[in-house]
Amino acid sequence: MNQSEKSNPEYDANKDFQHFIGKVVREKKVSKQDITKIRKAFLFAKTAHEGQYRKSGEPYISHPLAVAKIVYEEMGLLTTGIIGAFLHDVLEDTPVSKEEIQSQFGKTVLDIIAGLTKISKIEGAELGDSYQAQNYRQILMTISDDIRVVIIKIADRLHNMRTLGAQQGHKQLKITSETLYLYAPLAHRLGMNSIKTELEDLSLKYSEPQAYNEISQRLNISKADAEAYIQRFIRSVKQCVSITGLKIIKIESRFKSIYSIYKKIQTKGVRFDEIMDLYAIRIIIEDRPQKEIDDCWQVFTTISNLYPARPDRIRDWLRLTKSNGYQSLHMTVRGLEGRMVEIQIRTEAMDATARKGMTSHWMYKEEKEIMVVDQKLIDFTDRVQEILKDKSSSAEELVSIIKTEIRLDNLNVFTPKGDMKTIVQGASVLDFAYLIHSKIGNHAIGAKVNNELVSLNHIIQQADQVEIITSSKLTVKEDWLKWVITPKAVHAIKEVLKVKRKEKQEWGKLVVNRFYKRLGISENTPEVEELLQFLSLQSLDDLYYKVGIHDPDVLSKADDFIKHKQNQTPVPISSEPQKENSINPEFLVLGKDVNIENVVIASCCNPVIGDDIVGLQRKNRVVIHRTSCDVAIKWMANHGSDIIKANFSESEGVSFLAALKVQGLDSQGVLIELLRIISVSMKLNMRKVFIDTKEGHFEGLFLIFIQSANELNRLIDRLQKLPNVKSVTRTDNNFKPFEN
Ligand code: MN
């Protein structure tokens, strides 16, 4: 809870409420009786929070009121949702009892508020990882109880994000990482696209302020030009569609969100001015029953006669609807002056569904509290419930499995016989094998996708026809876990591996026991502990397993161990794990006074001077990540108290290792040119270069010592301008070409 001494005399809660309730009355979606209930809830909350203030200095009631506005105006909830929003913090932060709420507002309202309180109770506790994961699990459980709990929770989060400026730095990072990790994907899954976009943009504003400011400034500069261009483009499109006789209801233009541009720059390695779909329009045509789909394609054909459409950017969501109910036809064309424009084509009815997302399906008959929902939403909540039932996985595992469900849309895929199956986007052929039957998965060796032979880790696309090739043998391997994302496949593979591992362990145990005999020791003697340490293994079971699979490293080292023992020479202590990216703490300014033995630079994101960074503390070790790093976001979203706001100090002559992934066409001289720019022209030192070529393309990893983000950006810019270089992006040290 946010309490502070200050107060803001200018804020008038009653006035603010009058304004809101006036609007609700005018819009007539809520009955007169219900207006009275809403008034009562507001007064109840105001009295309960009397004397409490937010960090910003405003009376606390301003917050529940803002959340109530969000659920009504932006999410489409009515009476019960509004009342829930008003009361969402009273159970936790005020002496109000459950009985009182039930007697005043009824059982449904109490259940919603109790659900919300359960969530924030855990959230408040700044404890270890499993606690936070349990909190997420709790949020996800309420999806199947009463989805309004989650909706109010997202509204609560949205208001907290809008007012995040009042919080301290490390708290901001914690809150933004949770938002990116769970709340934004959840909002997206529930079809609340503008809320998802706002949550992401706000997260970027606080986690990567430099990137946010740069992009928003550049967007503002180019806006006038973009608007003029789009108007010209729309005129020409209108003209050509009018010839077909189809009626255009309206054409809208839209701009990309700051966060989506940022993500594109980061992952695709393009420059701001190269972002293709900076221009986007939406053509909404009249509904003609039975003809909707043909009409959309007619518009498509007409436009592509005028402007060439890029074949790789056509997305048909007309027949194959997305799992959130979306229907639309997307294309990208080379428009006037050669600029790329993304065009969405849909009918009025399709547009209405796209706009409201699932909100159109969670209308409640207020008096009876009956929920009317869409089948796809029911499917989703059922799947969430199914996953949560799994007792063998930890809360953290469950949350990450559901996150996959949330993030992704379903694809329709066909069996050789033409049966349609749905599978989550991003799934591999192996996932598909397990979807059909775990026996097929366990015996899979390859597949044919649209009659072409592919490996098991091949990612399935919309409308693919997939045939699995099996063998009579059990073919499951450890590596398979990296290739699947569906819970069913993960679970089945783990089961087989468990059995396999057991067998290997038993075999290994026999070998190791013979080994003990030769040394004259037993399982419980101190030498065994010494042996494990020497081999850097965690447990005896690990040792048995490694021996069981004839791990050459372990076997030869174990031999060394025996020799030392037999010759009675001291056993050397095994070498420390590599600390190649350790950095002198003097180069950092940490927002918290901690006794730090070592500070290291994370090799997943390789921050350099000038990046927005954060320190993640585990015991007396602090790892410095970029605030935008996915690993860091996941860590911050799951750990409470160990986030340290960090900055690089203005020191000179410090070098950081940066990892760049470079992709392009494998033409003569391009690699020499790359190396020339790095080492001759920019005089940078390289630690490692690793390049591979395939079918006329090359991909490479360059590990380069760099002094600042500026220098790195200059380098990226210069490399990108080379004729045959397609993209240059920052990556991690472990990147391997063509392994993706
Ligand atoms: Mn709140």
Side-chain angles (χ1 to χ4, degrees):
M1 182 184 48
N2 309 320
Q3 275 193 347
S4 96
E5 308 292 302
K6 300 168 285 177
S7 72
N8 179 353
E10 277 149 52
Y11 178 79
D12 182 344
N14 289 329
K15 219 166 155 185
D16 195 6
F17 177 74
Q18 283 316 324
H19 188 76
F20 169 61
I21 199 74
K23 188 173 172 194
V24 178
V25 170
R26 276 196 306 281
E27 290 180 355
K28 289 195 180 130
K29 282 184 255 174
V30 171
S31 71
K32 274 206 177 119
Q33 262 178 323
D34 283 0
I35 296 284
T36 319
K37 284 193 213 162
I38 294 173
R39 275 186 202 284
K40 185 171 142 192
F42 165 69
L43 290 173
F44 187 92
K46 192 173 160 241
T47 315
H49 289 296
E50 197 68 66
Q52 297 175 346
Y53 295 91
R54 298 209 92 207
K55 278 257 158 67
S56 60
E58 284 177 348
Y60 197 81
I61 186 65
S62 64
H63 167 65
L65 182 50
V67 177
K69 281 185 194 167
I70 293 171
V71 300
Y72 173 75
E73 290 166 7
E74 300 179 46
M75 293 166 162
L77 292 190
L78 300 176
T79 313
T80 310
I82 298 171
I83 294 176
F86 274 128
L87 303 179
H88 82 267
D89 280 330
V90 294
L91 265 190
E92 199 194 348
D93 298 344
T94 76
V96 169
S97 72
K98 285 188 176 176
E99 291 71 29
E100 212 172 330
I101 290 180
Q102 176 154 2
S103 72
Q104 299 274 335
F105 300 99
K107 177 88 166 57
T108 310
V109 169
L110 174 65
D111 286 345
I112 289 177
I113 298 173
L116 285 161
T117 309
K118 248 190 247 162
I119 296 170
S120 53
K121 268 249 168 70
I122 305 178
E123 204 166 48
E126 294 206 338
L127 291 162
D129 17 341
S130 66
Y131 243 83
Q132 184 59 14
Q134 275 172 34
N135 169 29
Y136 292 143
R137 192 169 151 259
Q138 188 73 45
I139 294 175
L140 294 165
M141 272 190 336
T142 61
I143 288 181
S144 34
D145 292 347
D146 187 330
I147 202 161
R148 283 173 290 194
V149 178
V150 175
I151 298 171
I152 296 170
K153 187 72 198 163
I154 293 173
D156 181 30
R157 174 54 55 119
L158 179 59
H159 184 241
N160 286 333
M161 288 296 296
R162 284 176 180 168
T163 52
L164 196 59
Q167 294 281 356
Q168 286 172 324
H170 70 280
K171 271 243 158 138
Q172 287 177 346
L173 288 174
K174 167 83 179 148
I175 293 170
T176 56
S177 59
E178 285 171 2
T179 303
L180 286 177
Y181 186 72
L182 191 68
Y183 293 97
L186 208 48
H188 178 56
R189 192 63 181 73
L190 297 176
M192 303 187 281
N193 285 323
S194 60
I195 286 171
K196 170 214 161 210
T197 303
E198 190 179 348
L199 286 173
E200 286 175 343
D201 279 359
L202 286 168
S203 297
L204 189 65
K205 183 174 166 183
Y206 291 100
S207 65
E208 291 245 24
Q210 295 177 25
Y212 177 88
N213 289 334
E214 197 184 317
I215 294 171
S216 64
Q217 268 167 22
R218 297 190 69 161
L219 267 183
N220 279 336
I221 293 169
S222 52
K223 215 166 187 169
D225 167 64
E227 267 160 12
Y229 175 77
I230 278 293
Q231 286 318 317
R232 264 179 296 155
F233 183 79
I234 287 179
R235 268 200 300 280
S236 74
V237 165
K238 265 188 182 157
Q239 225 165 31
C240 92
V241 174
S242 70
I243 303 167
T244 65
L246 289 170
K247 194 170 161 203
I248 294 180
I249 302 294
K250 60 181 164 187
I251 298 184
E252 295 169 342
S253 59
R254 62 190 179 88
F255 295 93
K256 291 216 92 88
S257 79
I258 297 176
Y259 184 77
S260 67
I261 293 173
Y262 168 77
K263 268 288 174 198
K264 201 156 254 185
I265 291 174
Q266 219 189 18
T267 57
K268 299 264 164 71
V270 291
R271 291 195 306 267
F272 179 86
D273 35 309
E274 284 174 343
I275 291 179
M276 292 208 302
D277 36 14
L278 220 46
Y279 307 102
I281 65 166
R282 184 175 294 146
I283 304 174
I284 295 150
I285 57 171
E286 185 188 21
D287 275 302
R288 296 201 305 160
Q290 313 298 326
K291 296 206 167 125
E292 303 93 339
I293 291 178
D294 289 346
D295 286 353
C296 289
W297 280 109
Q298 172 76 56
V299 173
F300 171 91
T301 315
T302 312
I303 294 175
S304 38
N305 285 338
L306 186 63
Y307 301 118
R310 289 182 44 136
D312 57 324
R313 310 254 312 169
I314 298 167
R315 298 283 180 274
D316 174 10
W317 298 112
L318 291 171
R319 284 205 170 81
L320 303 165
T321 48
K322 284 187 173 187
S323 58
N324 51 13
Y326 186 81
Q327 259 185 305
S328 190
L329 181 59
H330 296 188
M331 69 197 288
T332 300
V333 301
R334 185 175 288 282
L336 297 163
E337 298 155 30
R339 302 196 208 178
M340 294 294 177
V341 183
E342 190 194 279
I343 305 177
Q344 300 182 352
I345 306 163
R346 54 173 87 137
T347 68
E348 257 188 305
M350 294 174 190
D351 188 55
T353 317
R355 227 165 258 285
K356 289 187 204 136
M358 286 188 172
T359 47
S360 53
H361 308 294
W362 60 52
M363 286 305 167
Y364 300 80
K365 290 189 179 140
E366 283 296 337
E367 308 81 44
K368 293 183 193 156
E369 299 295 349
I370 294 170
M371 193 170 159
V372 186
V373 285
D374 166 89
Q375 187 55 41
K376 285 177 185 116
L377 185 57
I378 294 175
D379 289 350
F380 171 62
T381 59
D382 282 355
R383 275 200 304 281
V384 168
Q385 209 161 29
E386 194 59 36
I387 294 166
L388 289 172
K389 264 191 218 148
D390 180 4
K391 290 273 178 323
S392 69
S393 301
S394 71
E396 207 163 344
E397 279 167 336
L398 292 177
V399 170
S400 83
I401 291 170
I402 294 173
K403 256 183 66 75
T404 323
E405 277 287 330
I406 292 172
R407 190 160 36 93
L408 302 165
D409 284 313
N410 283 336
L411 301 175
N412 300 316
V413 186
F414 300 90
T415 68
K417 283 182 191 157
D419 293 338
M420 196 180 83
K421 303 262 174 197
T422 48
I423 196 162
V424 72
Q425 196 174 60
S428 64
V429 163
L430 192 54
D431 280 302
F432 184 75
Y434 278 101
L435 175 74
I436 299 173
H437 199 283
S438 56
K439 261 193 196 145
I440 306 228
N442 288 340
H443 293 264
I445 48 174
K448 280 183 179 172
V449 169
N450 307 327
N451 288 320
E452 257 179 62
L453 213 58
V454 297
S455 59
L456 289 171
N457 58 355
H458 179 89
I459 304 293
I460 294 176
Q461 305 294 325
Q462 180 72 281
D464 275 348
Q465 188 189 57
V466 186
E467 180 184 352
I468 304 294
I469 305 164
T470 55
S471 122
S472 57
K473 284 188 201 137
L474 202 60
T475 48
V476 180
K477 292 180 189 67
E478 290 265 353
D479 273 1
W480 283 18
L481 284 173
K482 291 187 215 147
W483 300 348
V484 294
I485 58 169
T486 53
K488 198 176 170 192
V490 172
H491 191 76
I493 294 170
K494 277 190 180 163
E495 284 301 305
V496 176
L497 288 177
K498 229 191 261 168
V499 176
K500 277 195 163 183
R501 208 179 150 91
K502 260 262 137 64
E503 284 168 15
K504 296 290 180 199
Q505 273 173 0
E506 263 152 37
W507 165 241
K509 191 169 177 178
L510 287 175
V511 179
V512 174
N513 279 336
R514 275 208 301 271
F515 196 82
Y516 290 155
K517 265 200 189 133
R518 270 166 68 195
L519 290 173
I521 58 176
S522 79
E523 236 180 66
N524 303 319
T525 43
E527 282 90 346
V528 175
E529 201 40 54
E530 204 180 348
L531 174 65
L532 287 181
Q533 227 172 30
F534 181 71
L535 298 170
S536 322
L537 292 175
Q538 298 291 329
S539 70
L540 267 177
D541 279 346
D542 285 346
L543 173 64
Y544 296 153
Y545 178 69
K546 292 276 185 199
V547 174
I549 60 166
H550 304 285
D551 185 309
D553 216 34
V554 164
L555 290 177
S556 83
K557 278 178 108 182
D559 260 347
D560 285 351
F561 185 82
I562 296 177
K563 272 180 207 134
H564 283 298
K565 280 289 166 195
Q566 286 172 339
N567 303 338
Q568 300 199 327
T569 52
V571 179
I573 299 156
S574 78
S575 57
E576 280 267 289
Q578 277 189 332
K579 277 199 285 183
E580 60 170 12
N581 281 349
S582 74
I583 165 188
N584 188 336
E586 273 174 32
F587 301 133
L588 285 166
V589 184
L590 295 179
K592 185 173 152 197
D593 216 9
V594 275
N595 186 10
I596 297 154
E597 271 179 22
N598 58 63
V599 180
V600 292
I601 296 288
S603 65
C604 45
C605 52
N606 291 300
V608 303
I609 284 189
D611 284 335
D612 286 308
I613 53 166
V614 61
L616 304 181
Q617 186 185 5
R618 195 159 244 185
K619 292 190 182 141
N620 45 25
R621 182 185 157 91
V622 173
V623 185
I624 302 293
H625 288 264
R626 298 178 68 188
T627 47
S628 59
C629 168
D630 283 341
V631 177
I633 287 174
K634 180 167 183 209
W635 204 91
M636 288 190 281
N638 280 299
H639 296 72
S641 49
D642 311 326
I643 301 164
I644 301 171
K645 184 91 174 123
N647 279 314
F648 284 118
S649 52
E650 299 281 319
S651 21
E652 278 189 14
V654 203
S655 286
F656 293 83
L657 201 56
L660 290 182
K661 167 173 141 188
V662 183
Q663 294 172 301
L665 291 177
D666 181 25
S667 64
Q668 227 190 351
V670 62
L671 298 178
I672 293 172
E673 194 56 21
L674 279 169
L675 295 175
R676 198 190 60 78
I677 289 180
I678 297 169
S679 54
V680 180
S681 166
M682 292 197 61
K683 298 194 173 52
L684 298 169
N685 288 322
M686 279 177 282
R687 164 176 278 187
K688 186 170 153 190
V689 177
F690 183 24
I691 291 163
D692 201 0
T693 59
K694 199 171 164 183
E695 290 152 15
H697 293 262
F698 78 86
E699 262 186 30
L701 168 72
F702 293 77
L703 287 181
I704 303 164
F705 285 104
I706 227 86
Q707 302 217 344
S708 70
N710 271 338
E711 187 173 52
L712 184 58
N713 289 338
R714 266 204 318 279
L715 173 66
I716 292 176
D717 237 40
R718 290 194 59 176
L719 296 182
Q720 255 169 353
K721 282 188 182 130
L722 286 176
N724 286 310
V725 170
K726 271 203 322 217
S727 75
V728 183
T729 37
R730 291 174 70 175
T731 183
D732 59 79
N733 291 358
N734 304 316
F735 167 76
K736 292 201 185 74
F738 297 112
E739 227 184 62
N740 205 340

